[in-house]
Amino acid sequence: AGDGDCGHTHARAARAIQEWVRARPPPSAPAQLLSALADLLLEKMGGSSGVLYGLFLTAAARPLHNRNDLPTWADAMDAGIEAMQRYGGAAPGDRTMLDSLWAAAQALHALRSPGADLLQVLATAVQSAEAAAEATRHMEAGAGRASYISSAQLLQPDPGAVAAAAVLKAVLEGLRS
């Protein structure tokens, strides 16, 4: 979706993460892992996506400093989204990556229920993110790069929303394997 820039940016991030993991074992503590990923993406990913993911991961790490239970992961997602909204200026419905992340976060709230099954909740979150990404196809762009383009030319889903859903799906697949 889009002009290819978003895909190149995400591919650059994926290569940087692969190199990082090959060079040293990533931190095992969730807060340190997310903070290290934030630093890596800020340095290597580039573009507004790199900044937004860096903000998201930095904020998401904070709730995980003292706790690592499932409800805290839902809190971490909410904290990341709040940071993206505050610093990025977008809101759900603006046709950005935030649409996918927000939809996933709503599904992840189920992690706050006693006995929640992580993989089942995450699978639902991925489905929600993918549906939200597809729904951006019919949205008016209120923020981000697409807001500078005539809506008549926006025929594909938002590239950032598609990419964010793909990242969440990769996390799910990684946890399953």
Side-chain angles (χ1 to χ4, degrees):
D3 63 6
D5 181 58
C6 184
H8 290 294
T9 302
H10 281 79
R12 187 170 42 251
R15 285 189 298 275
I17 291 168
Q18 287 172 330
E19 291 171 13
W20 178 62
V21 169
R22 278 194 292 268
R24 70 186 77 63
S28 58
Q32 286 75 22
L33 175 63
L34 295 184
S35 293
L37 280 170
D39 292 343
L40 181 72
L41 295 179
L42 283 166
E43 178 185 345
K44 303 283 185 179
M45 186 175 194
S48 57
S49 293
V51 173
L52 290 169
Y53 279 119
L55 288 168
F56 175 88
L57 291 167
T58 298
R62 288 186 192 112
L64 294 165
H65 278 295
N66 299 320
R67 296 180 53 202
N68 183 23
D69 57 6
L70 292 182
T72 305
W73 281 97
D75 297 342
M77 186 75 163
D78 287 345
I81 287 171
E82 194 268 318
M84 286 180 86
Q85 287 182 280
R86 184 173 350 116
Y87 297 110
D94 278 344
R95 195 181 200 277
T96 68
M97 71 167 79
L98 190 58
D99 291 300
S100 291
L101 294 172
W102 189 84
Q106 301 316 297
L108 289 176
H109 288 172
L111 292 175
R112 295 182 177 125
S113 300
D117 179 287
L118 172 63
L119 294 180
Q120 184 178 18
V121 171
L122 190 51
T124 300
V126 168
Q127 291 171 347
S128 296
E130 290 173 338
E134 179 57 33
T136 63
R137 176 188 306 267
H138 308 290
M139 291 179 181
E140 187 78 26
R145 217 159 137 188
S147 66
Y148 304 115
I149 300 169
S150 163
S151 34
Q153 294 179 305
L154 298 174
L155 305 175
Q156 299 296 319
D158 179 73
V162 171
V167 168
L168 292 171
K169 187 173 186 174
V171 169
L172 173 62
E173 291 171 359
L175 290 172
R176 282 182 172 161
S177 60

